[in-house]
Amino acid sequence: FANVADSVFVFATNEPKPVSVRVTTAAGPVKGELKLAVPQGWEVTPASIPIDLKTTDAEMMATFTVKPPNQNGEGTLRAIASIDGRDYSLERVRISYPHIGVQTLMPPAEAKLVRADILKKGERIGYIPGAGDDVPESLRQIGYSVKMLSEPEITTKNLAQFSAVVLGIRAYNTQDRISNWLPELFAYVNEGGVVIAQYNTLADLKTSQFGPYPLEISRDRVTDENAEVRVLATDNPLMNTPNKITPKDFDNWVQERGLYFPNKWDPAWTPVLSCNDPKEKPLDGGLLVAKSGKGFFVYTSYSWFRQLPAGIPGAYRLFANMLSLGK
């Protein structure tokens, strides 16, 4: 079995990246070779890596270098193990639940490849975990270094080293100490930092404060992933720097546009985007940005936690713009 390390590889430039594959045997010994199949225009080195596993359940890691084409596009990478003249391209995924026992799934050994122009500013991102999401790994894909922050690290002085700080999904629901951290985050913004808060739900809120200015969240959501997105603030840096956002950036989103949109906010917030489900009222609160002191605070209920791991280029470009505010 060949398990590719990530399900999506996003290339923001034409620089190559390492791609690792873990090879395991169900019955040993096994000899052969491992290759990566990629779309035309993509390059892989080396052409193959020898497999030599002596026992059942033995495993090895193989790392290839994948270089994307210059032009933008998407495709599929496939890991293929050739053994005794036969090609195998399956992953082994074990799922264990008390009520169903251990299940072994064998999906294809594939990953999505995305080549898209994603410009960014800033380098180091601090991440305050919420209910758990894959956004930190997604940001690493486009060249950011991301540090997961624990309680003692959330001080204005320590946050100064980061070009932006991101709050994970539902951080205001899951972090009991969030109301102690918010004044530190607001002071960091005041000094020129950028904070991005992702969606929260109404249940079990640990704070009534969502940002440096008042706003209220609702149960409003947009479940149609193809719902038209309208730009309310065409001149806002979020729509222009460093990536020029166009309607195309909202193509091919998955599962939904967003959830628990704010429905009331102080005039200090600027609503940037509007969208709605068919025959519903326009929802303008999915991406709110406020200048506070020298920095910016963003509250956004669009579902980045779904779009980034799915490798949606436009979502990366817009998220990079949020991280690049004021830079």
Side-chain angles (χ1 to χ4, degrees):
F1 297 101
N3 288 56
V4 184
D6 291 291
S7 57
V8 177
F9 293 90
V10 179
F11 294 76
T13 66
N14 60 1
E15 289 297 302
K17 274 189 190 205
V19 171
S20 296
V21 181
R22 191 175 78 248
V23 182
T24 50
T25 66
V30 165
K31 271 190 154 171
E33 60 174 19
L34 181 70
K35 291 186 199 146
L36 293 186
V38 291
Q40 198 173 352
W42 295 70
E43 294 168 24
V44 178
T45 49
S48 67
I49 292 177
I51 299 170
D52 188 0
L53 296 169
K54 307 272 192 278
T55 59
T56 299
D57 280 334
E59 65 173 56
M60 61 171 267
M61 285 300 287
T63 301
F64 296 86
T65 299
V66 174
K67 187 174 186 331
N70 289 329
Q71 68 277 17
N72 293 344
E74 297 179 14
T76 302
L77 168 149
R78 226 167 78 241
I80 301 168
S82 299
I83 292 143
D84 299 333
R86 286 188 62 186
D87 285 352
Y88 300 88
S89 185
L90 293 172
E91 296 194 348
R92 177 163 60 178
V93 181
R94 285 206 167 126
I95 300 173
S96 178
Y97 286 115
H99 60 289
I100 56 167
V102 176
Q103 305 274 335
T104 301
L105 306 179
M106 290 187 285
E110 293 179 349
K112 181 175 173 182
L113 296 172
V114 179
R115 167 75 182 95
D117 291 321
I118 304 159
L119 302 170
K120 69 177 185 61
K121 295 179 181 177
E123 291 304 321
R124 303 195 67 203
I125 307 295
Y127 206 90
I128 297 176
D133 56 67
D134 295 327
V135 171
E137 186 44 51
S138 299
L139 299 181
R140 290 184 187 111
Q141 290 258 1
I142 58 169
Y144 281 107
S145 97
V146 183
K147 169 122 178 49
M148 302 305 277
L149 299 176
S150 59
E151 166 117 38
E153 298 170 298
I154 305 171
T155 65
T156 306
K157 189 171 172 230
N158 185 55
L159 296 176
Q161 63 180 294
F162 299 108
S163 53
V165 175
V166 181
L167 293 149
I169 62 168
R170 307 214 315 273
Y172 294 7
N173 301 117
T174 56
Q175 291 288 8
D176 290 330
R177 308 268 301 155
I178 190 77
S179 55
N180 297 55
W181 303 343
L182 286 173
E184 304 291 337
L185 289 163
F186 298 159
Y188 158 74
V189 168
N190 214 34
E191 293 295 306
V194 173
V195 170
I196 298 167
Q198 300 180 78
Y199 93 97
N200 295 278
T201 67
L202 290 156
D204 294 330
L205 278 168
K206 309 288 193 267
T207 174
S208 57
Q209 212 178 0
F210 292 92
Y213 309 105
L215 67 81
E216 291 175 28
I217 61 171
S218 70
R219 287 198 163 72
D220 294 344
R221 54 174 63 210
V222 181
T223 53
D224 180 355
E225 70 265 36
N226 299 311
E228 182 201 0
V229 179
R230 300 169 294 278
V231 179
L232 301 173
T234 48
D235 297 338
N236 194 281
L238 285 182
M239 291 293 105
N240 297 288
T241 322
N243 300 288
K244 176 79 181 139
I245 302 301
T246 71
K248 209 165 90 233
D249 289 306
F250 299 101
D251 289 351
N252 305 316
W253 281 40
V254 296
Q255 203 151 337
E256 66 201 352
R257 287 292 188 201
L259 59 177
Y260 293 93
F261 281 27
N263 61 348
K264 286 186 187 150
W265 52 87
D266 186 272
W269 296 98
T270 300
V272 179
L273 298 175
S274 174
C275 68
N276 51 271
D277 279 328
K279 302 195 168 90
E280 299 278 328
K281 66 178 193 297
L283 302 180
D284 298 351
L287 179 54
L288 300 172
V289 59
K291 184 103 165 74
S292 177
K294 296 182 200 153
F296 294 90
F297 196 103
V298 177
Y299 189 93
T300 176
S301 298
Y302 282 91
S303 54
W304 312 106
F305 69 102
R306 296 199 200 284
Q307 312 313 323
L308 300 182
I312 308 300
Y316 273 93
R317 286 159 48 81
L318 192 40
F319 209 95
N321 283 8
M322 294 194 277
L323 295 168
S324 304
L325 272 170
K327 303 286 179 289

